[in-house]
């Protein structure tokens, strides 16, 4: 899985490309993979305010709706108009044509909480690891119970 | 009767496999206090013969449209239903399947839903239709709820008083616990249609939508051109409610008038009256509202080898996915009744639907003319109508018994809902009211 | 393995639409032209309905018979869809519902002319009250979800009269999606609480969120894991002590008849899905019926009209000033109510009690047969349904969806999948009481065989179904660019 250097990443699986005071935001390859085929995207309007850690958009797969959380606060400068017509772009090119919005950041300190590509890759591994461990533990418990019986 | 196939030996073997010895062990984890009181105090089961006898006896206490001369409409209509309809909906592949969540083995239901959606679009002249709602009344409520989603900041709903009174009640019940909605009762004029001047005078930037019947509860064909114009000017959405969709094979459909949402009750399209249910609600609207629609939608797609197939789609609007943010809480679509309507409309087709509508309109008009001329009854409203009309029958309370003893129910007395319409009957004539029935009706009104 | 079938009628999935069949001028309806003019102004009339079908009756019949061959139904296939209670729908119910004395009644006929129908409704209310342990019942709601909405409205009306309708409804994470959706529609905010690892609600979890702002807690019992909520009485006490009410989603009543009455558990309001427990056909998604039962103190708020018996006659009464109003036109889905009434008198008390016990026996039997092969997320005793997961099969990359699709090749309808949401990859199996031991054995064999295939030949399972009229359909395409109606080709 690809996590380009030069981008910043959030725990909610958004990426940020910083250009001076502007931030371009999208979702990561990991996020698009977890969601599966994306069929609809709901974006904010230009001029709207987004608040760090609040949802600013929704992406829908066939059987789920997921909120997309703002990694930084700011005002929406641009939205990716092409997405509602061809939402599959997010699956195909999450870091390029699949970008979602561009905002003018109000607090550059917001960036401090974000991860580097390397940190994010590690974070994903940890998350996966945690799930598997829990399963294994439960499986063991199950085995124990069976033996008891 | 018993529909459980378990023999004593089955039970024994199954219990043994589970590792138990008595059936009651299956429930021993439930608190004893509950189990001790759980016995059901009802009579023991009956044979099928006894059941049929009892049910036939109950059925015999009712006045059917077969034995009586019923001139009743008001939202439920007695129409001819081709035998093919019941033959199809009785097929167990349709009647005993569940919601088509596994499309590979539900193409029959899904294709029928898709065909139904298309038929409703054609009949109403709208862009898109869903696969069905509970009934016309809740469909009307859902129309208002959709308008509320689309018209943020506007909270006034103009409900025409010539809309079916039960529908108005259902809408009020659905909306009573929601903030930001206010119902405005909109009067009707001597035409029997909605008072457009009232709308013009009261609608402003707070107007969310207008709901009118088409035809309305009095059978009157509303002047949608002027109502739509008033809505446009105020930025309100216009929703029509059709309880007699057969009329739409003859009348200019809601879509042709620029209506935003067209809903109604579909019973009259091939579903027996059955005391008013089950029928189904239909819901159609303009394409731009698609993602705000309530209810199920079937859509076309392909499989891995490019074969055409149908699936439930845009499901993220629905309760099983979006839960508290769903567009509606509905979880069924009256599918078997919708199938009946699909078979009905396919059988009658373009020519048959038109013929049926014409027969209804002509017979109803002829009947009214006769009652006015021969029995001296007075029309209450002046507006154009389809197959229902309101006549003033002075001294109705005293005359009623005579009709009942002749096995005639000449219409619906409107005073219950409209105190100002004392002695007024809403009379409905369909193709099922034969010449002899109309003769009897006229004669009884003449006091003969 | 069979070739992918072309459908029993030889047309496969390529069945033309009714709009692509027939011939101009054809119709299956014969009615002589009516004399006289309707005198409707020409500007009110439409042209012919463009695109409408033009077919003969026989042609229509063949079309829909062909479509029926593309469906699974319970009379052809075992259909163990969890939470849906796909039991046999007795034929006598259909015969009775079609009697002219029920099918040809007009709802606005004077009450004196529909006494048999009103008697049936009145008695059915009493029967459902007796079975569920409630004091009164309304039959008006058209389906379970409308029943939920009605029930919540009753709660709201009652609390409002006590001074404060309150703001929130507690809904467990195991609940049906209709619970939160109905709460919103009733003007409430939803608070979700989590069940424990066994899928059970702990009183402690309720205690944490239960305060004076909570109107009610909605609980499903047995819950959607098929497990009896053993703490329900304690939870009821907790909720009541803080002035809230307990709502029971009665979707799973099939597990309780003659075993435990919701009314004795502290439940104040419940809805019953007649199309499940009381065996009216599911019809591919309705019509159903969702009667609501209440304790006596909520009686005044029930929808109108109410049917009352005076002397020997039944009458309709609207004069209940505290009523929530009306949720459906006329009397609800009367045809469904007739079937449920017929079912109840057919089985009688003894038959209903046996029904729930056999539903439990069947579910426990299947659970036992499959628990070696599939992962069981809850080890609590199961009632009428049991939930497995795909955890073991995931190791070969085979998911619940794959297992479900592969079952189609074996001629079984799959269980409910991916529900309840709290269980990852859930397979929720509800066999119902009307299935024989042999059918259950055959189904278990198929499941075990699929698990073996998952190990030996996962591609076979992942590519399933192989024998249905169409393969897996592209749902993403359907949702991205929705085509929701046929339109004539523009060429």
């Amino acid at each position: 899985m690809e996590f380009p250097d030069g981008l910043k990443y959030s725990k909610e699986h958004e990426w940020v490309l910083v250009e001076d005071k502007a931030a371009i935001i999208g979702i990561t390859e990991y996020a698009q993979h977890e969601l599966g085929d994306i069929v609809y995207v709901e974006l904010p309007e230009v001029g709207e305010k987004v608040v760090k850690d609040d949802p600013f958009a929704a992406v829908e797969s066939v059987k789920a709706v997921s909120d997309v959380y703002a990694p930084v606060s700011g005002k929406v400068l641009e939205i990716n108009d092409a997405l509602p017509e061809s939402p599959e772009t997010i699956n195909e090119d999450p870091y390029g044509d699949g970008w979602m919005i561009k905002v003018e950041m109000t607090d550059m300190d917001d960036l401090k909480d974000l991860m580097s590509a390397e940190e994010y890759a590690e974070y994903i591994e940890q998350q996966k690891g945690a799930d598997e461990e829990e399963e294994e533990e439960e499986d063991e418990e199950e085995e124990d119970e069976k033996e008891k019986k | 009767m018993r529909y459980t196939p378990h023999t004593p030996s089955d039970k024994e073997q199954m219990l043994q496999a589970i590792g138990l010895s008595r059936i009651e062990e299956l429930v021993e984890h439930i608190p004893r206090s509950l189990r001790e009181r759980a016995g059901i105090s009802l009579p023991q089961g009956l044979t099928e013969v006894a059941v049929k006898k009892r049910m036939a006896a109950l059925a015999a206490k009712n006045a059917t449209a077969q034995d009586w001369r019923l001139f009743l409409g008001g939202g439920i209509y007695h129409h001819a239903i081709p035998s093919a309809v019941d033959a199809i909906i009785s097929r167990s592949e349709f009647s005993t399947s569940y919601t088509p969540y596994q499309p590979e083995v539900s193409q029959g239901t899904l294709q029928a839903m898709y065909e139904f959606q298309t038929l409703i679009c054609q009949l109403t002249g709208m862009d898109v239709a869903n696969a069905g709602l509970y009934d016309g009344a809740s469909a009307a409520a859902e129309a208002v709820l959709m308008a509320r989603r689309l018209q943020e900041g506007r909270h006034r709903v103009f409900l025409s008083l010539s809309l079916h009174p039960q529908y108005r009640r259902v809408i009020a019940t659905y909306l009573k616990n929601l903030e930001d909605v206010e119902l405005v009762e909109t009067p009707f004029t001597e035409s029997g249609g909605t008072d457009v001047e009232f709308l013009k005078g009261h609608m402003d930037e707070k107007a969310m939508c207008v709901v009118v019947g088409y035809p309305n509860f009095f059978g009157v064909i509303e002047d949608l051109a002027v109502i739509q114009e008033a809505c446009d000017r105020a930025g309100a959405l216009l929703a029509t409610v059709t309880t007699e969709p057969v009329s739409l094979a003859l009348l200019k459909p809601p879509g042709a008038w620029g209506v935003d949402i067209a809903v109604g009750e579909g019973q009259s399209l091939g579903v027996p009256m059955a005391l008013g249910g089950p029928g189904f609600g239909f819901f159609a609207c303009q394409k731009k509202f698609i993602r705000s629609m309530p209810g199920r939608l079937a859509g076309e797609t392909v499989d891995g080898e490019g074969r055409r197939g149908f699936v439930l789609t845009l499901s993220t609007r629905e309760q099983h996915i979006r839960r508290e943010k769903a567009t509606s809480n509905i979880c069924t679509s009256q599918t078997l009744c919708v199938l009946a309507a699909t078979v009905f409309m396919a059988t009658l087709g373009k020519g048959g639907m038109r013929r049926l509508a014409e027969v209804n309109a002509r017979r109803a008009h002829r009947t009214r003319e006769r009652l006015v001329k021969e029995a001296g009854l007075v029309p209450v409203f002046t507006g154009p109508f389809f197959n229902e009309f309101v006549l003033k029958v002075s001294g109705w309370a005293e005359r009623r018994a005579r009709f009942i003893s002749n096995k005639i129910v000449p219409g619906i007395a409107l005073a219950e809902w409209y105190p100002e319409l004392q002695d007024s009957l809403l009379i409905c004539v369909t193709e099922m009211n034969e010449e002899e029935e109309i003769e009897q009706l006229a004669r009884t009104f003449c006091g003969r | 393995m069979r070739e992918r079938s072309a459908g029993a009628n030889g047309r496969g999935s390529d069945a033309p639409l009714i709009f692509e069949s027939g011939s101009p001028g054809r119709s299956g309806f014969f009615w002589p032209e009516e004399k006289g003019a309707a005198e409707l102004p020409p500007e009110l009339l439409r042209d012919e309905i463009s695109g409408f079908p033009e077919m003969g009756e026989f042609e229509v019949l063949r079309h829909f018979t062909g479509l029926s061959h593309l469906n699974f139904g319970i009379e052809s296939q075992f259909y163990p869809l969890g939470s849906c209670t796909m039991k046999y729908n007795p034929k006598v119910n259909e015969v009775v519902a079609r009697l002219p004395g029920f099918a040809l009644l007009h709802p606005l006929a004077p009450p004196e002319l529909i006494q048999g129908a009103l008697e049936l409704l009145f008695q059915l209310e009493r029967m459902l009250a007796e079975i569920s342990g409630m004091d009164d019942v309304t039959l008006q709601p058209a389906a379970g979800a409308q029943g939920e909405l009605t029930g919540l409205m009753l709660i709201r009306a009652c609390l409002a009269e006590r001074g404060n309708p309150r703001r929130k409804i507690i809904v467990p994470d195991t609940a049906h999606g209709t619970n939160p959706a109905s709460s919103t529609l009733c003007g409430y905010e939803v608070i979700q609480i989590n069940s424990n690892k066994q899928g059970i609600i702990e009183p402690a979890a309720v205690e944490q969120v239960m305060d004076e702002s909570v109107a009610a807690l909605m609980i499903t019992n047995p819950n959607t894991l098929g497990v009896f909520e053993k703490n329900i009485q304690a939870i009821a006490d907790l909720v009541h002590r803080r002035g809230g009410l307990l709502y029971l989603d009665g979707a799973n009543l099939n597990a309780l008849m003659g075993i435990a009455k919701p009314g004795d558990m502290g439940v104040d309001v419940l809805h019953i899905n007649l199309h499940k427990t009381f065996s009216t056909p599911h019809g591919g998604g309705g019509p159903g019926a969702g009667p609501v039962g209440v304790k006596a103190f909520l009686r005044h708020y029930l929808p109108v009209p109410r049917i009352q018996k005076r002397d020997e006659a039944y009458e309709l009464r609207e004069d209940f000033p505290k009523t929530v109003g009306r949720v459906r036109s006329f009397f609800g889905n009367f045809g469904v109510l007739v079937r449920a009434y017929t079912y109840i008198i057919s089985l009688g008390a003894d038959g209903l009690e046996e029904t729930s016990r056999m539903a439990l026996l069947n579910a426990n039997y299947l659970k036992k047969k499959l628990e070696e092969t599939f992962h069981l997320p809850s080890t609590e005793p199961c009632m009428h349904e049991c939930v497995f997961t795909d955890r073991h099969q995931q190791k070969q990359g085979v998911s619940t969806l794959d297992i479900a699709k592969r079952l189609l090749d074996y001629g079984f309808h799959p269980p409910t999948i991916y529900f309840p949401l709290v269980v990852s990859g859930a397979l929720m199996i509800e066999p119902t009481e009307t299935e024989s031991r042999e059918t259950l054995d055959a189904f278990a064999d198929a499941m075990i065989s699929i698990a073996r295939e998952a190990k030996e030949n996962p591609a076979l399972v992942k590519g399933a179904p192989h024998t249905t009229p169409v393969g897996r359909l592209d749902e993403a395409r359907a949702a991205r660019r929705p085509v929701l109606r046929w339109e004539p080709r523009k060429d």
Side-chain angles (χ1 to χ4, degrees):
Chain A
M1 223 169 256
E2 193 199 352
F3 307 117
D5 292 329
L7 300 182
K8 299 263 183 197
Y9 298 87
S10 75
K11 286 188 173 170
E12 297 286 350
H13 310 291
E14 288 87 25
W15 57 261
V16 179
L17 173 64
V18 184
E19 287 177 349
D20 294 330
K21 287 192 103 179
I24 299 172
I25 301 168
I27 65 170
T28 67
E29 171 144 27
Y30 175 78
Q32 74 79 16
H33 181 80
E34 288 292 299
L35 289 166
D37 291 332
I38 291 169
V39 300
Y40 187 65
V41 182
E42 220 178 284
L43 296 175
E45 279 173 33
V46 172
E48 255 179 63
K49 280 195 179 130
V50 301
V51 179
K52 184 172 186 291
D53 299 331
D54 280 0
F56 72 90
V59 287
E60 294 186 8
S61 62
V62 172
K63 296 206 159 71
V65 188
S66 308
D67 285 325
V68 184
Y69 293 87
V72 295
S73 297
K75 199 172 98 179
V76 181
L77 295 173
E78 259 181 80
I79 58 168
N80 185 350
D81 284 328
L83 285 185
E85 279 305 302
S86 51
E88 59 271 30
T89 316
I90 294 183
N91 294 120
E92 290 157 4
D93 187 9
Y95 303 112
D97 290 346
W99 69 278
M100 297 176 77
I101 58 168
K102 184 174 178 178
V103 301
E104 183 181 9
M105 284 185 277
T106 43
D107 186 357
M108 299 299 281
D109 281 353
D110 286 349
L111 295 171
K112 287 186 190 157
D113 298 338
L114 301 178
M115 291 175 272
S116 70
E118 206 178 313
E119 286 164 338
Y120 180 64
E122 218 168 276
Y123 170 72
I124 298 263
E125 284 309 310
Q126 276 172 9
Q127 295 267 302
K128 280 188 197 161
D131 283 352
E132 272 165 27
E133 244 170 61
E134 194 183 326
E135 275 197 14
E136 271 166 29
E137 254 171 49
E138 276 182 31
D139 278 353
E140 274 166 30
E141 275 171 31
E142 218 174 282
E143 290 298 315
D144 290 350
E145 285 212 3
K146 268 183 200 167
E147 274 167 32
K148 271 186 223 161
K149 279 177 193 171
Chain B
M1 280 301 299
R2 284 289 187 285
Y3 301 109
T4 41
H6 305 77
T7 64
S9 124
D10 285 331
K11 290 184 194 174
E12 200 178 312
Q13 287 181 49
M14 291 170 78
L15 282 170
Q16 204 172 10
I18 301 169
L20 302 176
S21 50
R22 290 174 304 115
I23 295 287
E24 289 312 300
E25 289 174 44
L26 290 168
V27 297
E28 273 169 7
H29 64 285
I30 293 171
R32 181 187 292 273
S33 61
L34 293 175
R35 279 184 284 135
E36 280 172 356
R37 307 184 51 188
I40 298 172
S41 167
L42 287 177
Q44 302 292 291
L46 300 172
T47 65
E48 186 174 322
V49 171
V51 168
K52 280 184 176 168
K53 217 172 181 172
R54 257 188 68 182
M55 296 310 288
L58 266 180
K61 295 185 194 172
N62 300 316
T64 73
Q66 222 165 37
D67 301 330
W68 281 62
R69 302 169 186 99
L70 305 179
F71 293 87
L72 297 172
I76 294 292
Y77 302 87
H78 187 32
H79 285 300
I81 303 175
S83 302
V85 173
D86 198 39
I88 292 298
I89 66 164
S90 297
R91 291 193 68 92
S92 64
E93 300 91 333
F94 285 125
S95 67
T96 74
S97 56
Y98 195 72
T99 298
Y101 288 132
Q102 297 291 339
E104 296 87 347
V105 290
S106 313
Q107 284 301 299
T109 298
L110 284 161
Q111 182 170 331
M113 284 163 87
Y114 182 80
E115 291 175 343
F116 168 78
Q117 288 168 194
T118 306
L119 289 164
I120 291 297
C121 288
Q122 292 167 338
L123 192 63
T124 57
M126 305 299 288
D127 299 333
V128 286
N130 75 10
L133 298 173
Y134 302 134
D135 69 336
S138 61
E142 293 279 9
V144 175
L145 289 168
M146 187 170 91
R148 177 173 170 261
R149 289 191 288 278
L150 295 167
Q151 299 269 72
E152 229 173 284
R154 291 167 172 264
H155 63 259
R156 263 193 209 134
V157 178
F158 290 79
L159 283 190
S160 173
L161 283 170
S162 56
L163 180 67
H164 197 298
Q166 291 194 355
Y167 286 35
R168 282 189 274 121
R169 187 96 195 249
V170 170
I171 293 171
T173 306
Y174 262 73
L175 297 177
K176 68 195 276 184
N177 299 315
L178 300 178
E179 289 167 14
D180 68 25
V181 187
E182 179 197 340
L183 296 179
V184 182
E185 291 192 342
T186 307
F188 49 87
T189 65
E190 60 194 21
S191 73
T194 304
D195 186 343
V196 182
E197 292 311 315
F198 179 93
L199 286 177
K200 285 182 185 162
H202 290 78
M203 285 206 293
D204 54 19
E205 74 289 345
K206 291 276 185 290
M208 180 205 293
C209 66
V210 173
V211 189
V212 301
Y214 185 73
N216 67 25
F217 184 61
F218 304 131
V220 170
I221 303 160
E222 294 275 3
D223 190 347
L224 291 183
V226 295
I227 297 174
Q228 177 63 55
E229 202 193 316
C231 286
D232 274 350
R233 204 174 305 151
L237 298 179
L238 175 58
T240 55
V241 181
T242 301
T243 57
E244 172 47 307
V246 168
S247 69
L248 298 183
L250 185 65
L251 303 180
K252 205 173 264 191
W257 298 110
V259 162
D260 299 288
I261 309 167
V263 303
E265 166 66 51
Q267 174 273 329
S268 104
L269 302 168
V271 182
M273 297 191 288
L275 206 69
F280 63 90
F282 62 85
F283 189 107
C285 64
Q286 293 185 14
K287 201 171 183 175
K288 59 186 174 196
F289 304 143
I290 218 174
R291 290 192 180 263
S292 205
M293 287 174 81
R296 286 195 182 126
L297 290 165
E300 189 186 313
T301 186
V302 291
D303 72 359
E305 288 162 49
R307 274 176 290 234
R308 175 167 72 183
F310 302 90
V311 292
L312 291 177
T313 194
L314 302 182
S315 309
T316 47
R317 298 165 299 113
E318 295 181 65
Q319 49 75 29
H320 60 284
I321 294 177
R322 212 179 278 248
R323 299 174 80 88
E324 67 268 22
K325 290 182 186 151
T327 56
S328 167
N329 68 335
I330 196 165
C331 176
T332 45
S333 53
Q334 304 282 114
T335 310
L336 203 63
C337 301
V338 157
L339 175 68
T342 309
V343 180
F344 178 88
M345 287 188 270
T347 306
L348 270 71
K350 193 187 273 184
M353 282 289 286
R354 182 72 171 210
R355 172 61 58 89
L356 178 65
E358 277 171 2
V359 170
N360 271 260
R362 288 180 183 167
R363 198 168 287 189
H365 281 76
R366 218 177 52 238
T367 305
R368 187 175 88 148
E369 199 179 291
R370 202 168 160 188
L371 295 179
V372 170
K373 273 192 190 148
E374 291 180 19
L377 303 181
V378 183
V380 174
F381 299 116
T382 58
F385 64 96
F386 174 62
N387 65 357
E388 282 176 281
F389 49 87
V390 181
L391 293 179
K392 181 112 182 163
V393 182
S394 21
W396 163 242
E398 296 81 58
R399 296 166 78 174
R400 187 178 179 275
R402 187 179 176 87
F403 285 89
I404 299 293
S405 65
N406 281 355
K407 284 194 158 183
I408 298 174
V409 184
I412 299 161
L414 293 178
E416 184 192 335
W417 294 295
Y418 301 92
E420 71 275 28
L421 296 177
Q422 288 300 323
D423 287 347
S424 298
L425 288 188
L426 174 64
I427 299 171
C428 174
V429 184
T430 76
E431 78 284 1
M432 300 302 275
N433 298 110
E434 291 173 12
E435 208 49 52
E436 174 273 339
E437 291 192 20
I438 295 167
E439 180 69 35
Q440 285 290 331
L441 177 73
R443 280 166 60 162
T444 311
F445 269 123
C446 291
R448 277 175 276 152
Chain C
M1 286 270 306
R2 285 185 291 137
E3 283 285 288
R4 196 185 291 272
S5 91
N9 63 346
R11 290 191 311 194
S13 64
D14 296 329
L17 297 168
I18 46 177
F19 313 101
E20 300 161 341
S21 314
S23 184
R26 207 176 276 165
S27 169
F29 184 69
F30 171 76
W31 205 281
E33 197 173 351
E34 185 85 358
K35 281 176 285 199
E39 291 171 32
L40 282 166
E43 66 271 17
L44 290 183
L45 303 183
R46 77 184 293 168
D47 296 332
E48 60 173 29
I49 311 172
S50 170
F52 229 58
E54 295 181 272
M55 303 165 81
E57 178 174 308
F58 189 24
E59 199 177 4
V60 170
L61 205 57
R62 197 170 274 167
H63 171 83
F64 287 101
T65 303
L67 289 190
S68 77
H69 293 153
L70 307 176
N71 267 9
F72 272 21
I74 56 168
E75 282 176 28
S76 328
Q77 283 86 14
F78 178 45
Y79 217 119
L81 208 53
S83 216
C84 301
T85 317
M86 299 297 282
K87 59 168 76 175
Y88 169 56
N89 309 130
K91 294 296 170 189
V92 64
N93 299 353
E94 298 304 308
V95 172
V96 168
R98 283 168 173 79
L99 291 174
F102 296 127
L104 294 183
L105 304 186
H106 195 284
L108 295 177
E112 69 213 70
L113 301 184
I114 49 171
Q115 283 293 304
L118 298 182
E119 182 180 339
L120 182 151
L121 296 172
F122 183 85
Q123 289 184 0
L124 182 58
E125 288 178 359
R126 303 279 87 70
M127 290 170 175
L128 294 174
E130 169 57 27
I131 294 166
S132 62
M134 305 305 279
D135 297 322
D136 213 337
V137 169
T138 173
L139 302 173
Q140 199 178 79
Q146 204 179 37
E148 284 177 17
L149 177 62
T150 309
L152 292 171
M153 284 177 178
L154 301 172
I155 289 171
R156 196 177 175 113
C158 167
L159 293 178
E161 201 189 344
R162 288 182 189 169
N164 180 0
R166 304 190 170 195
R167 290 182 291 115
K168 302 175 198 160
I169 302 283
I170 303 175
V171 175
D173 53 1
T174 46
H176 295 107
T178 47
N179 289 185
S182 301
S183 302
T184 305
L185 192 48
C186 196
Y188 282 118
E189 188 187 318
V190 176
I191 314 235
Q192 185 168 302
I193 54 167
N194 294 333
S195 49
N196 69 15
K197 271 199 161 175
Q198 297 289 339
I200 296 263
I201 306 169
E202 300 280 2
V206 177
E207 187 142 33
Q208 264 183 9
V209 289
M210 184 66 218
D211 60 25
E212 271 65 36
S213 70
V214 173
L217 181 134
M218 295 181 92
I219 194 167
T220 306
N221 198 15
N223 65 24
T224 55
L225 276 110
V227 174
F228 190 85
E229 294 281 3
K230 55 188 173 191
N231 306 316
I232 188 163
Q233 289 160 295
I235 292 171
D237 284 347
L238 247 167
V239 171
H240 290 153
R241 224 176 304 137
R242 310 252 158 90
L245 301 185
L246 186 64
Y247 184 98
L248 183 109
D249 177 333
N252 295 336
L253 189 64
N254 206 44
L256 295 179
M257 291 185 294
I259 294 172
K261 289 184 181 179
D264 295 333
M265 301 173 195
V267 170
D268 301 297
V269 192
L270 59 68
H271 78 264
I272 301 169
N273 304 81
L274 292 191
H275 45 288
K276 296 180 183 177
T277 310
F278 299 100
S279 190
T280 72
H282 282 74
V292 170
V294 295
K295 286 292 174 60
F297 70 97
L298 289 167
R299 184 175 272 159
H300 318 289
Y301 309 102
L302 288 170
V304 288
R306 305 279 307 133
I307 300 166
Q308 304 225 319
K309 192 174 181 185
R310 183 148 60 170
D311 303 325
E312 281 314 294
Y314 297 88
E315 56 182 22
L316 293 171
R317 288 193 34 201
E318 300 264 355
D319 52 335
F320 296 87
K322 293 179 182 172
T323 175
V324 296
R326 193 185 244 293
V327 293
R328 197 205 179 281
S329 51
F330 311 116
F331 301 94
N333 283 341
F334 177 71
V336 175
L337 304 174
V338 172
R339 288 171 174 87
Y341 181 97
T342 309
Y343 181 75
I344 292 172
I345 66 164
S346 294
L347 265 66
D350 49 335
L352 295 173
E353 292 176 3
E354 175 82 353
T355 288
S356 287
R357 283 171 171 78
M358 292 305 105
L360 263 60
L361 179 64
N362 279 2
N364 278 278
Y365 181 68
L366 263 188
K367 178 182 160 192
K368 189 73 192 176
K369 290 209 115 184
L370 294 174
E371 68 185 9
E372 291 292 311
T373 314
F374 291 89
H375 169 248
L376 199 59
S378 175
T379 49
E380 292 280 326
C382 88
M383 297 285 283
H384 65 303
E385 65 189 359
C386 53
V387 177
F388 290 97
T389 85
D390 57 359
R391 184 182 290 179
H392 303 333
Q393 288 67 40
Q394 278 286 6
K395 288 172 184 139
Q396 282 80 40
V398 169
S399 69
T400 284
L401 184 70
D402 301 323
I403 296 165
K405 297 303 182 194
R406 186 62 182 146
L407 270 170
L408 300 174
D409 288 332
Y410 281 85
F412 292 107
H413 194 284
T416 294
I417 55 175
Y418 299 106
F419 188 83
L421 305 174
V422 289
V423 175
S424 161
L427 283 150
M428 185 195 211
I429 305 174
E430 180 181 9
T432 83
E433 73 283 1
T434 53
E435 297 296 339
S436 68
R437 184 170 54 87
E438 299 85 80
T439 304
L440 304 181
D441 287 341
F443 176 75
D445 288 348
M447 286 288 284
I448 292 164
S449 166
I450 292 169
R452 196 180 317 120
E453 289 172 352
K455 277 191 192 142
E456 293 165 1
N457 186 4
L460 175 69
V461 184
K462 287 154 77 102
H466 303 281
T467 58
T468 49
V470 290
R472 286 194 204 185
L473 290 154
D474 188 346
E475 297 191 42
R477 172 181 162 138
R480 279 173 183 155
R481 285 167 198 84
V483 180
L484 305 178
R485 61 176 290 190
W486 172 86
E487 279 188 272
R489 252 186 236 130
K490 291 177 188 121
D491 53 19

